[in-house]
Amino acid sequence: MTYIAKPKFHHPGLKKNELGYTHRDYEGKISTLCAGCGHDSITASIIEACYELSIEPHRVAKISGIGCSSKTPDYFLGNSHGFNTVHGRMPSVLTGANLANRDLIYLGVSGDGDSASIGFGQFAHSIRRGVNMTYIVENNGVYGLTKGQFSATADRGSKSKKGVTNTDNAIDLVAIALQLGATFVARSFSGDKTQLVPLIAAAIGHKGASFIDVISPCIAFNNHAGSTKSFDYVREHNDAVNRLDVLVGRDPIAVDYAPGTVQVVEQHDGSKIALRKIDADYDPHDRLGAQAFLAKHAAKGQIVTGLLYVDPDADDLHAHLNTVETPLNTLEADTLCPGSAALDKLNASLR
Amino acid sequence: MSDKKPLSSVNDFVVRFANVNGSGSASANEMFARAILRHGVPVSPRNIFPSNIQGLPTWYEVRVTEDGHLGARGGVDMMVAMNPQTWDKDVAGIEPGGYLFYDSTKPMPSTKFRDDITVIGVPLTAITNSTYTDPRQRQLFKNIIYLGALSALLDMDPKLIEQLIGEQYKGKEKLLSSNVHALHLGRDWALQNLKCPIGLRVKKSDKVGDRIFIEGNSAAALGAVYGGATVCAWYPITPSSSVAEAFTAHCKKYRHDPETGKAKYAIVQGEDELASIGIVIGASWNGARAFTATSGPGISLMTEFIGLSYFAEIPAVIMNIQRAGPSTGMPTRTQQCDIIACAYASHGDTKHVLLFPEDPAEAFEFAAAAFDLAERLQTTIFLMLDLDIGMNHRLCRPLKWDDSKQYDRGKVMTAEMLEQGRDFGRYLDVDGDGIPYRTYPGTHPTKGSYFTRGTSRDRYARYSEEGSVYADNMQRLVRKFETAQDLVPRPLQANAERPTKYGVIYFGSTSPAMDEAIGLLEARGHQLDRLRIRAFPFHSSVASFLAEHDFVYVVEQNRDSQLRQLIVNENGIDPVRLVPIVHYDGTPITARFIAKAIGDHQDHLKVTPLRKAVS
């Protein structure tokens, strides 16, 4: 959400896709997230995936909850309808929207606070219902908008910017999505466009509940103790008249590594995460295998990335409900209303 | 033997059945009520049941009322006492001169009876045990046997009951014949062993006319079908669950494509009330007509989303079947106690449209109208039923539908309108009525898209925390609410025969009791003009009515006189002029209660002049 409109001017020589759209046609407003935020990298990947798929931007409905991640739909697909709902409730709103018009593409964008804490139930139930959607969690382990509290995906033993140690176990949304029957489950890293773009494209093309957990470093709250550029340091060395937070931007983190390898990524605060990209011979059609694979590498402290599971024959909530192919929002009285004759018969049966 | 003359009345009495929950008596008891209707005599039945599944007491009360009084009367003329646990209370509740019907298989000490009532014993257990061996059959047919005995005692035509059994078990010959057999077992025993009929009698009449007998929840669900609802999301909660269940049944009957068999609707049982209203809002945002049904605790959970619906201006329909609160309160008892909670649901400055149907016929009409209103006003519409209407069969006028009616989809800007160059600002008040245009997602490749959010924004849906922009938007929402005044059902006024400075305001399920109470008050010498409120925001005629009367009684079924609060709050009326008459023990309000409360106050006014309040 921004006050600043992005200039519409663009170079006439920009590459176009099958529909004749350029990248710019898939962009939205200028991001107001911190410079270097992983979420902006995810936004770029969404734009890239939609461009490559030659999706008509206005045929996408982008729905989010509340939080840094949930602000991002304003920054891509500017000609799409967006809906910034309430905290943790994106899945239900998306489900309703999907029921109303099955012909649109539904992109749900959420955060770890949004989906793993307050919205954990809605996340779970939208997955188990098989709503045809691409559900992306931009996962940084903290609440950014309220300044750094732990989210439910924060690792046990990790420390907050204020030095508090997290004593709760972390929720692994990918493991949960697998268990709940998601028919497309992937994990990636915000800076790994090589991996993330095709994953998003594949998820959009998948009919059923697609879930992608994207690890996304937070510049603001991976930025603590010892740093001369941390909030606390700046506060202590600044005679400002109030206590506005000061953020110093960083370059976004980018990685590109080969399938089957482990890549250690240093985040903005110096902490490290080990990403393991699944190998080319990994079988993504084996749900139980995926769960075991995930658990085995989690025990080693590794975060597995890639397409973990897909059911190519999946169906969706509309199939379960046996709804008509015509979008429900286009049906009018002539097909919906049984009319007075039916009512007369009903009246007669109620005497 | 009774030392008081037994009650004697034709087509005007109250029978109450005391049963054990889970004993299968509901079907027989309802058949009793329907059988009287088939005699052409109006009835007003009520379920009085506990919030459990099995074992606790349950009552079913049938008011037989040739005069057509459909409110609860109070008092019991005949108690069918089939529950030993509640025997003492049941016997004590019988009107002097009334009748006690019981299972006399086991002898009871005389202390268990009263001298001023007529005791009628039928050895029901002995009859059933000698006829049936299966325990479940014994239980179920015992109910039909007492129905048979009552038909003889009350002089009912058995053929009419047989007709009902025939309709219920159509195509199930074995069940049909065995039920008819059980009916005659009881009837024959009574005719042979008891003095039949007693003083209370059912005589054929023609007072039912073309009226229908239906539960409010079912009628409201049917209204949703006729009103074009295609998405229903709900979470089970008493007393609203039967709305969604009835909607499902109606949709299965009316809403499947004949060629493909596919459904022209989607019903989702949400994981909770939050998800249910979320689904409704998502579907409505995307142009489908959607609703949920719930009760007080569900409303509490939904309030965050209701605020979003108000502020982001997304249509939604919520059917709130009210029960006694607060908290879990009395889940199976009736009240009208969510008025304030719904009128101002959610944080910040919010106001919502409430509709108050008086019976199933209006529940049907208002439910259908709620979808037009929701889309016209782009906001949440509450259909405010309560358990007394929702879960009880009520005699009401036949449901009607105008086939020429088209749905009012409100101000929706289409791709063609956008192409024509119409200025689209999502929150732009083009017509001065406070209602902006909206577009459905996917409308146009380059025009008409916007970002929906619960945060403040300008007329073009651009995020803004500018104070003047926020205030401009909030003022427009006030204008929209004022527009709603003329779109919602107007109050209905009925004046007393003689001019009077006293008025009474009431709404919803209080209606039949009020109609009857007016007669009782007239007999006591009190004239009152009546105003039945059917919606919030209040039409200007409410203020006029208040201005025309020195004192106005506000009759409602909650402790804090919530409608009165709302009237005072919204009209700036001196509260002294609005006299609260409240009934909130969970039972339906009765004419006797209203007449006594208002009558006593009126008597007091006559002897103690109060200062004339200034409005």
Side-chain angles (χ1 to χ4, degrees):
Chain A
M1 296 166 205
T2 178
Y3 292 92
I4 309 163
K6 191 176 273 187
K8 285 186 179 167
F9 173 79
H10 61 79
H11 194 281
L14 276 180
K15 204 171 76 173
K16 293 178 178 174
N17 64 13
E18 286 174 15
L19 291 175
Y21 287 123
T22 70
H23 265 92
R24 296 298 301 273
D25 296 313
Y26 293 88
E27 292 176 358
K29 293 193 175 70
I30 293 172
S31 170
T32 57
L33 298 175
C34 313
C37 177
H39 296 357
D40 284 334
S41 301
I42 300 170
T43 293
S45 290
I46 291 171
I47 290 168
E48 180 70 25
C50 291
Y51 169 82
E52 286 183 6
L53 287 173
S54 289
I55 285 170
E56 291 181 285
H58 75 290
R59 302 299 296 171
V60 177
K62 44 188 189 178
I63 302 170
S64 61
I66 294 290
C68 294
S69 59
S70 292
K71 288 155 69 84
T72 63
D74 218 11
Y75 313 145
F76 58 81
L77 304 181
N79 282 322
S80 298
H81 278 64
F83 195 162
N84 209 174
T85 64
V86 292
H87 203 190
R89 320 290 176 208
M90 173 276 284
S92 65
V93 176
L94 189 151
T95 301
N98 183 296
L99 290 175
N101 184 358
R102 59 191 300 170
D103 284 354
L104 299 184
I105 293 164
Y106 292 93
L107 200 52
V109 180
S110 181
D112 40 305
D114 205 50
S115 280
S117 294
I118 188 170
F120 195 44
Q122 294 221 338
F123 154 75
H125 289 275
S126 66
I127 296 285
R128 85 177 173 90
R129 288 193 182 105
V131 180
N132 187 9
M133 62 182 172
T134 297
Y135 191 135
I136 297 173
V137 165
E138 305 187 346
N139 188 350
N140 59 16
V142 296
Y143 287 81
L145 283 182
T146 50
K147 304 190 176 179
Q149 298 83 2
F150 290 119
S151 84
T153 62
D155 290 325
R156 182 171 186 161
S158 62
K159 282 194 173 183
S160 75
K161 193 192 79 174
K162 289 180 178 170
V164 178
T165 302
N166 180 27
T167 57
D168 297 336
N169 290 323
I171 288 173
D172 184 344
L173 290 172
V174 160
I176 302 286
L178 281 168
Q179 197 273 327
L180 289 168
T183 47
F184 182 108
V185 182
R187 174 176 277 142
S188 190
F189 182 73
S190 60
D192 188 357
K193 271 185 90 170
T194 309
Q195 183 189 54
L196 184 54
V197 172
L199 279 178
I200 293 171
I204 290 172
H206 177 77
K207 185 185 180 187
S210 304
F211 178 70
I212 309 176
D213 181 43
V214 189
I215 307 298
S216 174
C218 172
I219 172 74
F221 299 101
N222 284 338
N223 192 15
H224 34 58
S227 170
T228 56
K229 294 180 174 61
S230 68
F231 286 169
D232 290 345
Y233 183 90
V234 173
R235 279 195 188 113
E236 284 163 15
H237 296 81
N238 183 8
D239 289 325
V241 291
N242 56 33
R243 289 183 60 83
L244 290 175
D245 290 329
V246 176
L247 286 181
V248 178
R250 299 281 185 89
D251 290 334
I253 299 167
V255 292
D256 192 5
Y257 60 115
T261 64
V262 175
Q263 173 81 38
V264 176
V265 178
E266 186 172 325
Q267 300 197 73
H268 298 297
D269 64 345
S271 67
K272 293 182 173 68
I273 52 172
L275 303 177
R276 167 173 284 278
K277 193 173 284 191
I278 54 176
D279 209 340
D281 59 1
Y282 174 87
D283 178 12
H285 299 112
D286 176 4
R287 186 184 293 275
L288 289 176
Q291 289 172 316
F293 187 81
L294 197 66
K296 189 176 96 181
H297 290 287
K300 293 183 194 170
Q302 296 173 349
I303 299 167
V304 177
T305 70
L307 175 58
L308 288 157
Y309 175 73
V310 63
D311 174 0
D313 302 319
D315 54 20
D316 76 333
L317 180 59
H318 278 285
H320 307 161
L321 296 174
N322 192 34
T323 46
V324 288
E325 296 300 323
T326 314
L328 294 178
N329 68 349
T330 62
L331 302 179
E332 285 292 341
D334 54 348
T335 57
L336 293 176
C337 183
S340 62
L343 205 53
D344 290 343
K345 276 177 78 175
L346 193 80
N347 282 326
S349 73
L350 295 169
R351 293 187 176 115
Chain B
M1 289 296 289
S2 170
D3 62 358
K4 181 174 172 67
K5 194 178 173 201
L7 290 175
S8 179
S9 177
V10 177
N11 293 349
D12 185 11
F13 54 88
V14 173
V15 179
R16 184 181 277 195
F17 299 84
N19 294 102
V20 178
N21 211 5
S23 64
S25 58
S27 170
N29 296 348
E30 192 183 311
M31 203 174 284
F32 173 79
R34 286 181 182 276
I36 294 170
L37 271 183
R38 292 288 170 101
H39 285 76
V41 180
V43 292
S44 173
R46 278 176 176 79
N47 283 296
I48 305 155
F49 58 105
S51 50
N52 87 329
I53 303 297
Q54 199 162 7
L56 283 184
T58 179
W59 292 271
Y60 186 74
E61 184 177 290
V62 180
R63 181 176 186 189
V64 182
T65 166
E66 176 134 20
D67 290 339
H69 298 307
L70 300 181
R73 189 200 72 178
V76 176
D77 300 324
M78 180 180 215
M79 179 67 72
V80 180
M82 303 299 293
N83 186 354
Q85 285 180 330
T86 58
W87 177 274
D88 292 342
K89 187 183 169 194
D90 291 337
V91 171
I94 301 169
E95 298 276 293
Y99 300 83
L100 170 69
F101 178 101
Y102 81 112
D103 180 357
S104 60
T105 302
K106 287 184 181 172
M108 301 275 280
S110 58
T111 53
K112 301 298 271 182
F113 302 110
R114 273 168 46 189
D115 291 337
D116 61 341
I117 58 174
T118 301
V119 177
I120 302 165
V122 178
L124 295 167
T125 303
I127 297 170
T128 48
N129 287 357
S130 65
T131 314
Y132 306 100
T133 51
D134 178 69
R136 187 62 183 155
Q137 277 192 336
R138 284 178 172 176
Q139 180 60 59
L140 292 176
F141 285 122
K142 187 193 284 186
N143 303 319
I144 303 297
I145 289 168
Y146 74 60
L147 179 60
L150 288 172
S151 75
L153 290 162
L154 300 173
D155 202 18
M156 295 163 68
D157 181 352
K159 285 200 174 52
L160 294 174
I161 308 176
E162 286 175 23
Q163 190 185 61
L164 283 169
I165 293 173
E167 289 168 18
Q168 185 161 335
Y169 298 109
K170 194 175 176 184
K172 299 172 184 169
E173 291 305 319
K174 202 174 162 188
L175 278 170
L176 194 158
S177 58
S178 53
N179 272 278
V180 170
H181 177 66
L183 179 79
H184 283 284
L185 269 180
R187 182 174 174 85
D188 293 346
W189 194 95
L191 288 170
Q192 287 160 22
N193 299 283
L194 301 170
K195 181 180 174 296
C196 296
I198 57 172
L200 307 179
R201 294 180 196 185
V202 178
K203 188 181 167 193
K204 283 186 182 167
S205 183
D206 58 356
K207 298 291 169 60
V208 173
D210 67 347
R211 281 185 286 179
I212 60 167
F213 195 55
I214 186 173
E215 288 171 321
N217 282 357
S218 180
L222 198 64
V225 173
Y226 274 72
T230 51
V231 176
C232 167
W234 67 294
Y235 185 71
I237 181 169
T238 300
S240 76
S241 298
S242 57
V243 174
E245 286 160 358
F247 183 72
T248 306
H250 293 316
C251 281
K252 279 183 178 167
K253 189 172 175 185
Y254 296 119
R255 283 278 190 80
H256 278 264
D257 186 288
E259 287 177 16
T260 63
K262 286 181 175 287
K264 291 184 273 188
Y265 62 91
I267 301 169
V268 176
Q269 183 181 319
E271 59 269 29
D272 51 34
E273 285 88 347
L274 294 88
S276 301
I277 186 66
I279 289 169
V280 168
I281 284 176
S284 302
W285 173 73
N286 215 359
R289 296 194 148 194
F291 79 101
T292 186
T294 190
S295 185
I299 295 292
S300 299
L301 288 168
M302 292 177 184
T303 52
E304 186 187 25
F305 259 130
I306 293 166
L308 179 72
S309 162
Y310 177 78
F311 198 47
E313 299 181 66
I314 300 163
V317 173
I318 299 176
M319 299 186 187
N320 178 16
I321 321 303
Q322 297 165 91
R323 66 189 211 187
S327 189
T328 309
M330 295 193 288
T332 58
R333 310 294 164 163
T334 195
Q335 273 190 1
Q336 301 170 318
C337 55
D338 300 336
I339 311 301
I340 297 292
C342 291
Y344 301 128
S346 202
H347 52 279
D349 294 320
T350 54
K351 286 185 190 189
H352 307 289
V353 174
L354 315 180
L355 307 178
F356 302 111
E358 67 166 352
D359 67 0
E362 271 194 353
F364 170 79
E365 288 165 19
F366 289 11
F371 294 94
D372 279 355
L373 283 168
E375 291 206 305
R376 169 56 50 184
L377 293 164
Q378 298 173 32
T379 195
T380 292
I381 309 293
F382 287 91
L383 184 75
M384 304 289 282
L385 284 178
D386 59 33
L387 185 145
D388 189 32
I389 302 175
M391 290 191 73
N392 288 316
H393 278 84
R394 189 76 76 242
L395 207 54
C396 64
R397 64 183 188 279
L399 308 180
K400 282 190 180 155
W401 188 258
D402 176 2
D403 286 328
S404 67
K405 180 177 166 49
Q406 294 295 311
Y407 299 144
D408 178 0
R409 306 304 305 262
K411 296 185 186 180
V412 178
M413 202 166 275
T414 62
E416 292 72 31
M417 292 158 80
L418 291 163
E419 275 297 312
Q420 288 162 8
R422 291 277 292 269
D423 184 19
F424 176 68
R426 173 64 183 99
Y427 300 106
L428 203 57
D429 189 1
V430 182
D431 305 314
D433 57 3
I435 306 172
Y437 275 83
R438 63 174 178 147
T439 53
Y440 297 154
T443 295
H444 192 282
T446 56
K447 298 173 181 171
S449 71
Y450 64 95
F451 206 84
T452 307
R453 50 166 65 93
T455 39
S456 180
R457 68 273 145 166
D458 68 11
R459 295 174 180 183
Y460 289 86
R462 295 172 300 212
Y463 173 67
S464 171
E465 292 182 18
E466 197 68 45
S468 58
V469 168
Y470 170 82
D472 173 69
N473 191 40
M474 292 297 280
Q475 275 306 311
R476 184 182 52 76
L477 287 167
V478 170
R479 277 202 301 284
K480 185 164 88 165
F481 202 66
E482 287 166 357
T483 299
Q485 278 183 24
D486 291 319
L487 297 178
V488 298
R490 295 190 176 200
L492 295 182
Q493 187 168 344
N495 287 344
E497 285 184 9
R498 294 199 304 275
T500 173
K501 56 185 178 179
Y502 302 111
V504 58
I505 283 177
Y506 62 103
F507 64 101
S509 68
T510 302
S511 204
M514 177 58 67
D515 292 344
E516 188 179 355
I518 287 293
L520 298 175
L521 283 162
E522 281 173 358
R524 205 169 148 175
H526 301 300
Q527 297 280 320
L528 282 104
D529 295 337
R530 279 179 279 169
L531 190 74
R532 178 163 72 87
I533 291 195
R534 301 200 296 168
F536 174 70
F538 301 123
H539 188 258
S540 56
S541 58
V542 175
S544 304
F545 186 82
L546 294 165
E548 289 160 7
H549 296 89
D550 286 354
F551 287 94
V552 174
Y553 299 96
V554 184
V555 181
E556 50 191 315
Q557 300 178 56
N558 57 67
R559 184 191 68 179
D560 294 342
S561 199
Q562 295 186 24
L563 184 74
R564 175 177 171 272
Q565 285 185 47
L566 202 56
I567 293 170
V568 168
N569 203 29
E570 296 291 325
N571 288 285
I573 297 291
D574 181 351
V576 170
R577 293 177 52 203
L578 289 176
V579 183
I581 303 291
V582 295
H583 174 92
Y584 55 92
D585 67 2
T587 63
I589 197 165
T590 64
R592 287 182 183 181
F593 172 86
I594 297 169
K596 180 170 187 331
I598 293 181
D600 289 353
H601 195 274
Q602 286 283 92
D603 291 343
H604 181 65
L605 283 179
K606 281 180 184 171
V607 294
T608 315
L610 297 177
R611 72 181 171 86
K612 190 168 182 175
V614 179
S615 64

